Amino acid sequence: MDYILFCEVAGSGDGPQNNFNMTTWDGMIWHQCAYDMDETWGIQFNTTVETSAPEKMGFIMNQNTQSYWAGTNFFQMFYTHFLPELRARWAELRDAGTISYESIAKLVKQQADFIDPAMMELDLAIWPPNGSDVVDYGAPGRNYYTFILDWANRRIAWIDT
């Protein structure tokens, strides 16, 4: 349930499809892991800021994930049969502050603090942004962490409703 809710908050359409990854540390208990998150937090291929708005993306877990990568509609089945449990878990994680603007902002800052500004300048000199959008997904301004944080805040509020 936590993985599905994570995909919902992050707007990760790839998470329940071709980027579903599981790992184990003891050979007994398996965990879902997020990886290859290039299409999350409002940055998706073939979208604009408007079409990737958190209120317009819909519930990923209720979409048909039949695809070359996904195979069956596992996540849609999970949504259909465990909606009350998903809602209860959402409320639990929200009440605990696990899912909140503050917790996401903290994670973004922790990751951004790893980036050496001098190294970023060198990186951008070698691989300059394509237009005004560093990730070249169509809309100017989505390369700023403030976009991600605003998107996350709006997404949480939308899911709350």
Side-chain angles (χ1 to χ4, degrees):
M1 283 191 275
D2 288 355
Y3 179 77
I4 290 172
L5 293 175
F6 167 78
C7 288
E8 290 297 344
V9 172
S12 176
D14 275 351
Q17 293 187 50
N18 59 314
N19 290 344
F20 180 73
N21 188 25
M22 294 186 73
T23 190
T24 182
W25 288 270
D26 64 6
M28 302 286 294
I29 298 173
W30 289 83
H31 306 270
Q32 295 87 11
C33 301
Y35 79 106
D36 191 12
M37 297 178 58
D38 60 335
E39 290 194 77
T40 55
W41 307 109
I43 303 171
Q44 278 82 18
F45 290 114
N46 303 314
T47 65
T48 65
V49 170
E50 293 76 26
T51 59
S52 70
E55 306 85 4
K56 293 183 179 180
M57 292 184 62
F59 280 95
I60 296 160
M61 62 187 163
N62 195 26
Q63 291 179 358
N64 182 339
T65 56
Q66 184 72 30
S67 71
Y68 293 119
W69 305 284
T72 64
N73 294 317
F74 173 77
F75 288 101
Q76 190 176 33
M77 180 277 305
F78 204 90
Y79 172 82
T80 301
H81 295 286
F82 293 99
L83 184 57
E85 291 85 351
L86 286 163
R87 287 182 172 165
R89 183 64 175 154
W90 175 263
E92 182 182 346
L93 294 171
R94 288 288 286 133
D95 290 346
T98 304
I99 296 175
S100 67
Y101 174 84
E102 293 77 17
S103 65
I104 294 171
K106 182 179 175 182
L107 288 171
V108 169
K109 181 174 178 353
Q110 287 172 338
Q111 295 303 307
D113 286 348
F114 285 119
I115 301 171
D116 178 349
M119 295 296 288
M120 179 60 81
E121 290 298 322
L122 289 172
D123 190 69
L124 290 172
I126 297 169
W127 296 285
N130 194 348
S132 60
D133 197 326
V134 170
V135 293
D136 190 30
Y137 289 170
R142 292 195 282 181
N143 55 323
Y144 294 100
Y145 70 88
T146 51
F147 174 86
I148 293 170
L149 294 179
D150 177 66
W151 193 94
N153 197 36
R154 290 172 48 205
R155 181 71 168 186
I156 291 168
W158 179 73
I159 294 174
D160 280 345
T161 61

Short mmCIF file of all heavy atoms in Angstrom, two decimals, residues 73-124:
data_model
loop_
_atom_site.label_atom_id
_atom_site.label_comp_id
_atom_site.label_asym_id
_atom_site.label_seq_id
_atom_site.Cartn_x
_atom_site.Cartn_y
_atom_site.Cartn_z
N ASN A 73 -2.91 -6.08 -15.01
CA ASN A 73 -3.36 -4.86 -14.34
C ASN A 73 -3.32 -5.02 -12.82
O ASN A 73 -4.29 -4.75 -12.13
CB ASN A 73 -4.77 -4.49 -14.81
CG ASN A 73 -4.76 -4.13 -16.27
OD1 ASN A 73 -3.88 -3.43 -16.73
ND2 ASN A 73 -5.76 -4.63 -17.00
N PHE A 74 -2.20 -5.42 -12.30
CA PHE A 74 -2.04 -5.69 -10.87
C PHE A 74 -2.43 -4.50 -10.01
O PHE A 74 -3.19 -4.64 -9.05
CB PHE A 74 -0.60 -6.12 -10.56
CG PHE A 74 -0.33 -6.25 -9.10
CD1 PHE A 74 -0.78 -7.36 -8.41
CD2 PHE A 74 0.36 -5.26 -8.41
CE1 PHE A 74 -0.53 -7.50 -7.04
CE2 PHE A 74 0.60 -5.38 -7.05
CZ PHE A 74 0.16 -6.50 -6.37
N PHE A 75 -1.92 -3.33 -10.33
CA PHE A 75 -2.18 -2.18 -9.48
C PHE A 75 -3.63 -1.73 -9.55
O PHE A 75 -4.20 -1.28 -8.56
CB PHE A 75 -1.22 -1.03 -9.80
CG PHE A 75 0.17 -1.32 -9.34
CD1 PHE A 75 1.13 -1.76 -10.23
CD2 PHE A 75 0.51 -1.19 -8.02
CE1 PHE A 75 2.42 -2.05 -9.80
CE2 PHE A 75 1.79 -1.49 -7.57
CZ PHE A 75 2.75 -1.92 -8.47
N GLN A 76 -4.25 -1.87 -10.70
CA GLN A 76 -5.67 -1.54 -10.81
C GLN A 76 -6.49 -2.52 -9.96
O GLN A 76 -7.43 -2.13 -9.28
CB GLN A 76 -6.11 -1.57 -12.27
CG GLN A 76 -7.51 -1.00 -12.47
CD GLN A 76 -7.87 -0.95 -13.93
OE1 GLN A 76 -7.46 -1.80 -14.70
NE2 GLN A 76 -8.66 0.04 -14.32
N MET A 77 -6.13 -3.78 -9.98
CA MET A 77 -6.79 -4.78 -9.16
C MET A 77 -6.63 -4.44 -7.68
O MET A 77 -7.56 -4.51 -6.88
CB MET A 77 -6.21 -6.17 -9.45
CG MET A 77 -6.82 -7.32 -8.64
SD MET A 77 -6.16 -7.59 -6.97
CE MET A 77 -4.42 -7.77 -7.25
N PHE A 78 -5.44 -4.01 -7.31
CA PHE A 78 -5.17 -3.65 -5.91
C PHE A 78 -6.06 -2.49 -5.48
O PHE A 78 -6.65 -2.51 -4.40
CB PHE A 78 -3.69 -3.29 -5.76
CG PHE A 78 -3.17 -3.45 -4.37
CD1 PHE A 78 -2.63 -4.67 -3.97
CD2 PHE A 78 -3.23 -2.42 -3.46
CE1 PHE A 78 -2.14 -4.83 -2.68
CE2 PHE A 78 -2.75 -2.58 -2.17
CZ PHE A 78 -2.21 -3.80 -1.78
N TYR A 79 -6.17 -1.50 -6.34
CA TYR A 79 -7.03 -0.34 -6.06
C TYR A 79 -8.48 -0.78 -5.89
O TYR A 79 -9.17 -0.38 -4.96
CB TYR A 79 -6.89 0.66 -7.20
CG TYR A 79 -7.87 1.82 -7.12
CD1 TYR A 79 -7.62 2.91 -6.31
CD2 TYR A 79 -9.04 1.80 -7.87
CE1 TYR A 79 -8.51 3.96 -6.24
CE2 TYR A 79 -9.94 2.85 -7.82
CZ TYR A 79 -9.67 3.93 -7.00
OH TYR A 79 -10.55 4.96 -6.93
N THR A 80 -8.95 -1.63 -6.77
CA THR A 80 -10.34 -2.08 -6.74
C THR A 80 -10.66 -2.81 -5.44
O THR A 80 -11.72 -2.61 -4.85
CB THR A 80 -10.62 -3.00 -7.94
OG1 THR A 80 -10.35 -2.28 -9.14
CG2 THR A 80 -12.05 -3.49 -7.94
N HIS A 81 -9.76 -3.66 -4.98
CA HIS A 81 -10.05 -4.52 -3.83
C HIS A 81 -9.59 -3.96 -2.48
O HIS A 81 -10.05 -4.46 -1.45
CB HIS A 81 -9.43 -5.91 -4.05
CG HIS A 81 -10.06 -6.64 -5.19
ND1 HIS A 81 -11.32 -7.18 -5.12
CD2 HIS A 81 -9.62 -6.87 -6.45
CE1 HIS A 81 -11.62 -7.75 -6.28
NE2 HIS A 81 -10.61 -7.56 -7.11
N PHE A 82 -8.72 -2.97 -2.49
CA PHE A 82 -8.18 -2.47 -1.22
C PHE A 82 -8.36 -0.97 -1.03
O PHE A 82 -7.62 -0.35 -0.28
CB PHE A 82 -6.70 -2.83 -1.11
CG PHE A 82 -6.45 -4.30 -0.99
CD1 PHE A 82 -6.08 -5.03 -2.11
CD2 PHE A 82 -6.59 -4.96 0.22
CE1 PHE A 82 -5.85 -6.40 -2.02
CE2 PHE A 82 -6.37 -6.32 0.32
CZ PHE A 82 -6.00 -7.05 -0.80
N LEU A 83 -9.35 -0.37 -1.69
CA LEU A 83 -9.55 1.07 -1.57
C LEU A 83 -9.77 1.52 -0.12
O LEU A 83 -9.16 2.51 0.31
CB LEU A 83 -10.68 1.54 -2.47
CG LEU A 83 -10.91 3.06 -2.50
CD1 LEU A 83 -9.65 3.79 -2.93
CD2 LEU A 83 -12.06 3.40 -3.44
N PRO A 84 -10.59 0.85 0.68
CA PRO A 84 -10.75 1.29 2.08
C PRO A 84 -9.42 1.25 2.85
O PRO A 84 -9.12 2.16 3.63
CB PRO A 84 -11.76 0.29 2.67
CG PRO A 84 -12.51 -0.23 1.49
CD PRO A 84 -11.51 -0.26 0.36
N GLU A 85 -8.62 0.22 2.61
CA GLU A 85 -7.33 0.11 3.29
C GLU A 85 -6.36 1.20 2.82
O GLU A 85 -5.60 1.75 3.61
CB GLU A 85 -6.72 -1.28 3.07
CG GLU A 85 -7.47 -2.40 3.77
CD GLU A 85 -8.65 -2.97 2.97
OE1 GLU A 85 -9.05 -2.39 1.92
OE2 GLU A 85 -9.19 -3.99 3.41
N LEU A 86 -6.39 1.49 1.51
CA LEU A 86 -5.54 2.55 0.98
C LEU A 86 -5.93 3.90 1.59
O LEU A 86 -5.05 4.69 1.97
CB LEU A 86 -5.63 2.60 -0.54
CG LEU A 86 -4.89 1.49 -1.28
CD1 LEU A 86 -5.37 1.40 -2.72
CD2 LEU A 86 -3.39 1.71 -1.22
N ARG A 87 -7.21 4.16 1.69
CA ARG A 87 -7.67 5.41 2.29
C ARG A 87 -7.26 5.50 3.76
O ARG A 87 -6.83 6.55 4.23
CB ARG A 87 -9.17 5.55 2.14
CG ARG A 87 -9.58 5.88 0.72
CD ARG A 87 -11.06 6.07 0.60
NE ARG A 87 -11.38 6.57 -0.74
CZ ARG A 87 -12.58 6.57 -1.25
NH1 ARG A 87 -13.61 6.11 -0.54
NH2 ARG A 87 -12.79 7.03 -2.46
N ALA A 88 -7.39 4.41 4.48
CA ALA A 88 -7.01 4.39 5.90
C ALA A 88 -5.50 4.61 6.05
O ALA A 88 -5.05 5.36 6.93
CB ALA A 88 -7.42 3.07 6.55
N ARG A 89 -4.73 3.98 5.19
CA ARG A 89 -3.26 4.14 5.26
C ARG A 89 -2.87 5.57 4.91
O ARG A 89 -1.97 6.14 5.52
CB ARG A 89 -2.56 3.13 4.33
CG ARG A 89 -1.06 3.18 4.39
CD ARG A 89 -0.53 2.81 5.76
NE ARG A 89 0.93 2.75 5.71
CZ ARG A 89 1.71 2.94 6.75
NH1 ARG A 89 1.20 3.16 7.95
NH2 ARG A 89 3.02 2.89 6.60
N TRP A 90 -3.54 6.16 3.91
CA TRP A 90 -3.30 7.55 3.55
C TRP A 90 -3.51 8.44 4.77
O TRP A 90 -2.67 9.28 5.10
CB TRP A 90 -4.20 8.00 2.40
CG TRP A 90 -4.08 9.45 2.08
CD1 TRP A 90 -4.89 10.46 2.52
CD2 TRP A 90 -3.07 10.08 1.30
NE1 TRP A 90 -4.46 11.67 2.05
CE2 TRP A 90 -3.33 11.46 1.29
CE3 TRP A 90 -1.96 9.59 0.59
CZ2 TRP A 90 -2.54 12.37 0.61
CZ3 TRP A 90 -1.18 10.51 -0.09
CH2 TRP A 90 -1.46 11.87 -0.07
N ALA A 91 -4.64 8.27 5.45
CA ALA A 91 -4.96 9.08 6.62
C ALA A 91 -3.90 8.89 7.71
O ALA A 91 -3.47 9.87 8.35
CB ALA A 91 -6.35 8.72 7.15
N GLU A 92 -3.47 7.66 7.91
CA GLU A 92 -2.44 7.37 8.91
C GLU A 92 -1.13 8.09 8.59
O GLU A 92 -0.51 8.71 9.47
CB GLU A 92 -2.23 5.86 8.98
CG GLU A 92 -1.23 5.40 10.00
CD GLU A 92 -1.03 3.89 9.97
OE1 GLU A 92 -1.84 3.17 9.35
OE2 GLU A 92 -0.04 3.43 10.58
N LEU A 93 -0.70 8.01 7.33
CA LEU A 93 0.56 8.65 6.93
C LEU A 93 0.46 10.17 6.95
O LEU A 93 1.42 10.86 7.28
CB LEU A 93 0.99 8.16 5.54
CG LEU A 93 1.37 6.67 5.48
CD1 LEU A 93 1.56 6.23 4.03
CD2 LEU A 93 2.62 6.40 6.31
N ARG A 94 -0.70 10.70 6.62
CA ARG A 94 -0.91 12.16 6.70
C ARG A 94 -0.90 12.62 8.15
O ARG A 94 -0.25 13.61 8.49
CB ARG A 94 -2.22 12.55 6.01
CG ARG A 94 -2.19 12.44 4.53
CD ARG A 94 -1.35 13.52 3.87
NE ARG A 94 -2.06 14.79 3.91
CZ ARG A 94 -1.50 15.95 4.28
NH1 ARG A 94 -0.25 16.01 4.64
NH2 ARG A 94 -2.20 17.06 4.29
N ASP A 95 -1.62 11.90 9.01
CA ASP A 95 -1.70 12.29 10.43
C ASP A 95 -0.33 12.24 11.10
O ASP A 95 -0.03 13.05 11.98
CB ASP A 95 -2.68 11.39 11.19
CG ASP A 95 -4.13 11.62 10.80
OD1 ASP A 95 -4.42 12.66 10.15
OD2 ASP A 95 -4.96 10.76 11.11
N ALA A 96 0.52 11.30 10.69
CA ALA A 96 1.86 11.16 11.27
C ALA A 96 2.84 12.18 10.68
O ALA A 96 3.96 12.32 11.18
CB ALA A 96 2.38 9.75 11.04
N GLY A 97 2.44 12.88 9.61
CA GLY A 97 3.35 13.84 8.97
C GLY A 97 4.33 13.19 8.01
O GLY A 97 5.20 13.86 7.47
N THR A 98 4.18 11.89 7.78
CA THR A 98 5.06 11.19 6.84
C THR A 98 4.84 11.72 5.44
O THR A 98 5.80 11.94 4.69
CB THR A 98 4.80 9.68 6.90
OG1 THR A 98 4.97 9.24 8.25
CG2 THR A 98 5.74 8.92 5.99
N ILE A 99 3.58 11.90 5.08
CA ILE A 99 3.25 12.54 3.81
C ILE A 99 2.82 13.97 4.13
O ILE A 99 1.76 14.18 4.71
CB ILE A 99 2.12 11.80 3.06
CG1 ILE A 99 2.56 10.40 2.68
CG2 ILE A 99 1.69 12.59 1.82
CD1 ILE A 99 1.47 9.55 2.04
N SER A 100 3.70 14.90 3.80
CA SER A 100 3.42 16.31 4.05
C SER A 100 4.35 17.15 3.19
O SER A 100 5.38 16.67 2.70
CB SER A 100 3.65 16.66 5.52
OG SER A 100 5.03 16.56 5.85
N TYR A 101 3.97 18.38 3.02
CA TYR A 101 4.84 19.32 2.30
C TYR A 101 6.19 19.39 3.00
O TYR A 101 7.24 19.36 2.35
CB TYR A 101 4.19 20.70 2.25
CG TYR A 101 5.10 21.74 1.65
CD1 TYR A 101 5.21 21.90 0.28
CD2 TYR A 101 5.89 22.56 2.47
CE1 TYR A 101 6.05 22.84 -0.28
CE2 TYR A 101 6.75 23.50 1.92
CZ TYR A 101 6.83 23.63 0.55
OH TYR A 101 7.67 24.56 0.01
N GLU A 102 6.17 19.46 4.31
CA GLU A 102 7.42 19.60 5.08
C GLU A 102 8.34 18.40 4.89
O GLU A 102 9.55 18.57 4.72
CB GLU A 102 7.10 19.79 6.57
CG GLU A 102 6.40 21.10 6.90
CD GLU A 102 4.90 21.10 6.55
OE1 GLU A 102 4.32 20.01 6.35
OE2 GLU A 102 4.33 22.20 6.46
N SER A 103 7.78 17.19 4.89
CA SER A 103 8.64 16.01 4.74
C SER A 103 9.23 15.94 3.33
O SER A 103 10.40 15.56 3.16
CB SER A 103 7.88 14.73 5.08
OG SER A 103 6.83 14.50 4.17
N ILE A 104 8.46 16.31 2.33
CA ILE A 104 8.97 16.31 0.96
C ILE A 104 10.01 17.41 0.78
O ILE A 104 11.06 17.19 0.17
CB ILE A 104 7.82 16.42 -0.06
CG1 ILE A 104 6.96 15.15 0.01
CG2 ILE A 104 8.36 16.62 -1.48
CD1 ILE A 104 5.69 15.20 -0.78
N ALA A 105 9.75 18.59 1.32
CA ALA A 105 10.72 19.69 1.24
C ALA A 105 12.04 19.30 1.90
O ALA A 105 13.12 19.62 1.39
CB ALA A 105 10.15 20.95 1.88
N LYS A 106 11.96 18.59 3.01
CA LYS A 106 13.17 18.13 3.69
C LYS A 106 13.97 17.16 2.81
O LYS A 106 15.19 17.26 2.70
CB LYS A 106 12.79 17.46 5.02
CG LYS A 106 13.97 16.99 5.82
CD LYS A 106 13.51 16.35 7.13
CE LYS A 106 14.70 15.76 7.89
NZ LYS A 106 14.26 15.11 9.12
N LEU A 107 13.26 16.23 2.17
CA LEU A 107 13.94 15.28 1.27
C LEU A 107 14.59 16.00 0.08
O LEU A 107 15.72 15.68 -0.30
CB LEU A 107 12.96 14.23 0.77
CG LEU A 107 12.49 13.19 1.77
CD1 LEU A 107 11.36 12.36 1.19
CD2 LEU A 107 13.65 12.30 2.20
N VAL A 108 13.88 16.96 -0.49
CA VAL A 108 14.43 17.71 -1.63
C VAL A 108 15.69 18.46 -1.19
O VAL A 108 16.70 18.45 -1.87
CB VAL A 108 13.38 18.67 -2.23
CG1 VAL A 108 14.01 19.63 -3.22
CG2 VAL A 108 12.26 17.87 -2.89
N LYS A 109 15.62 19.10 -0.03
CA LYS A 109 16.79 19.84 0.46
C LYS A 109 17.97 18.90 0.73
O LYS A 109 19.11 19.21 0.38
CB LYS A 109 16.46 20.62 1.72
CG LYS A 109 17.66 21.42 2.23
CD LYS A 109 17.33 22.30 3.38
CE LYS A 109 18.50 23.07 3.93
NZ LYS A 109 19.82 22.82 3.45
N GLN A 110 17.69 17.76 1.34
CA GLN A 110 18.77 16.79 1.60
C GLN A 110 19.46 16.38 0.30
O GLN A 110 20.69 16.29 0.25
CB GLN A 110 18.22 15.55 2.31
CG GLN A 110 17.87 15.76 3.75
CD GLN A 110 17.16 14.56 4.35
OE1 GLN A 110 16.57 13.73 3.65
NE2 GLN A 110 17.20 14.47 5.67
N GLN A 111 18.69 16.14 -0.74
CA GLN A 111 19.28 15.74 -2.01
C GLN A 111 20.01 16.90 -2.67
O GLN A 111 21.10 16.74 -3.21
CB GLN A 111 18.21 15.18 -2.95
CG GLN A 111 17.59 13.89 -2.46
CD GLN A 111 18.62 12.81 -2.22
OE1 GLN A 111 19.41 12.48 -3.09
NE2 GLN A 111 18.62 12.25 -1.03
N ALA A 112 19.41 18.08 -2.64
CA ALA A 112 20.03 19.25 -3.25
C ALA A 112 21.34 19.60 -2.57
O ALA A 112 22.29 20.08 -3.21
CB ALA A 112 19.08 20.44 -3.21
N ASP A 113 21.43 19.35 -1.27
CA ASP A 113 22.67 19.65 -0.52
C ASP A 113 23.84 18.78 -0.97
O ASP A 113 24.99 19.11 -0.73
CB ASP A 113 22.44 19.50 0.98
CG ASP A 113 21.64 20.65 1.57
OD1 ASP A 113 21.45 21.68 0.87
OD2 ASP A 113 21.21 20.52 2.73
N PHE A 114 23.56 17.65 -1.62
CA PHE A 114 24.63 16.80 -2.15
C PHE A 114 25.27 17.40 -3.40
O PHE A 114 26.35 16.98 -3.80
CB PHE A 114 24.10 15.40 -2.50
CG PHE A 114 23.84 14.53 -1.32
CD1 PHE A 114 22.57 14.06 -1.06
CD2 PHE A 114 24.87 14.16 -0.46
CE1 PHE A 114 22.32 13.24 0.02
CE2 PHE A 114 24.64 13.35 0.63
CZ PHE A 114 23.36 12.88 0.87
N ILE A 115 24.59 18.32 -4.03
CA ILE A 115 25.07 18.86 -5.31
C ILE A 115 26.05 20.00 -5.05
O ILE A 115 25.71 21.01 -4.44
CB ILE A 115 23.89 19.36 -6.17
CG1 ILE A 115 22.92 18.21 -6.45
CG2 ILE A 115 24.41 19.98 -7.47
CD1 ILE A 115 21.63 18.64 -7.10
N ASP A 116 27.25 19.84 -5.53
CA ASP A 116 28.27 20.89 -5.45
C ASP A 116 27.97 21.90 -6.55
O ASP A 116 27.97 21.54 -7.73
CB ASP A 116 29.64 20.25 -5.65
CG ASP A 116 30.78 21.25 -5.64
OD1 ASP A 116 30.53 22.48 -5.68
OD2 ASP A 116 31.94 20.80 -5.60
N PRO A 117 27.71 23.17 -6.19
CA PRO A 117 27.38 24.16 -7.22
C PRO A 117 28.44 24.27 -8.32
O PRO A 117 28.09 24.45 -9.49
CB PRO A 117 27.27 25.46 -6.43
CG PRO A 117 26.93 25.04 -5.04
CD PRO A 117 27.64 23.73 -4.84
N ALA A 118 29.71 24.12 -7.98
CA ALA A 118 30.75 24.19 -8.99
C ALA A 118 30.64 23.02 -9.97
O ALA A 118 30.83 23.18 -11.18
CB ALA A 118 32.13 24.20 -8.33
N MET A 119 30.32 21.84 -9.45
CA MET A 119 30.15 20.68 -10.31
C MET A 119 28.93 20.85 -11.21
O MET A 119 28.94 20.45 -12.37
CB MET A 119 29.99 19.40 -9.48
CG MET A 119 31.24 19.04 -8.69
SD MET A 119 32.65 18.65 -9.74
CE MET A 119 32.14 17.08 -10.37
N MET A 120 27.87 21.47 -10.68
CA MET A 120 26.67 21.71 -11.48
C MET A 120 27.00 22.66 -12.63
O MET A 120 26.54 22.45 -13.76
CB MET A 120 25.55 22.28 -10.62
CG MET A 120 24.28 22.57 -11.40
SD MET A 120 23.56 21.15 -12.22
CE MET A 120 22.69 20.40 -10.87
N GLU A 121 27.77 23.69 -12.36
CA GLU A 121 28.17 24.63 -13.41
C GLU A 121 28.96 23.91 -14.51
O GLU A 121 28.73 24.14 -15.70
CB GLU A 121 28.98 25.79 -12.84
CG GLU A 121 28.17 26.75 -11.99
CD GLU A 121 27.06 27.43 -12.77
OE1 GLU A 121 27.26 27.77 -13.96
OE2 GLU A 121 25.97 27.61 -12.19
N LEU A 122 29.88 23.05 -14.10
CA LEU A 122 30.65 22.28 -15.09
C LEU A 122 29.74 21.35 -15.89
O LEU A 122 29.88 21.22 -17.11
CB LEU A 122 31.74 21.45 -14.40
CG LEU A 122 32.92 22.23 -13.82
CD1 LEU A 122 33.81 21.31 -12.99
CD2 LEU A 122 33.71 22.87 -14.95
N ASP A 123 28.83 20.70 -15.21
CA ASP A 123 27.89 19.81 -15.87
C ASP A 123 27.05 20.56 -16.90
O ASP A 123 26.88 20.11 -18.03
CB ASP A 123 27.00 19.15 -14.81
CG ASP A 123 26.16 18.03 -15.38
OD1 ASP A 123 26.72 16.99 -15.74
OD2 ASP A 123 24.93 18.21 -15.44
N LEU A 124 26.53 21.73 -16.50
CA LEU A 124 25.71 22.51 -17.42
C LEU A 124 26.52 23.07 -18.58
O LEU A 124 25.99 23.26 -19.67
CB LEU A 124 25.01 23.65 -16.66
CG LEU A 124 23.91 23.20 -15.69
CD1 LEU A 124 23.43 24.38 -14.85
CD2 LEU A 124 22.76 22.56 -16.43
#
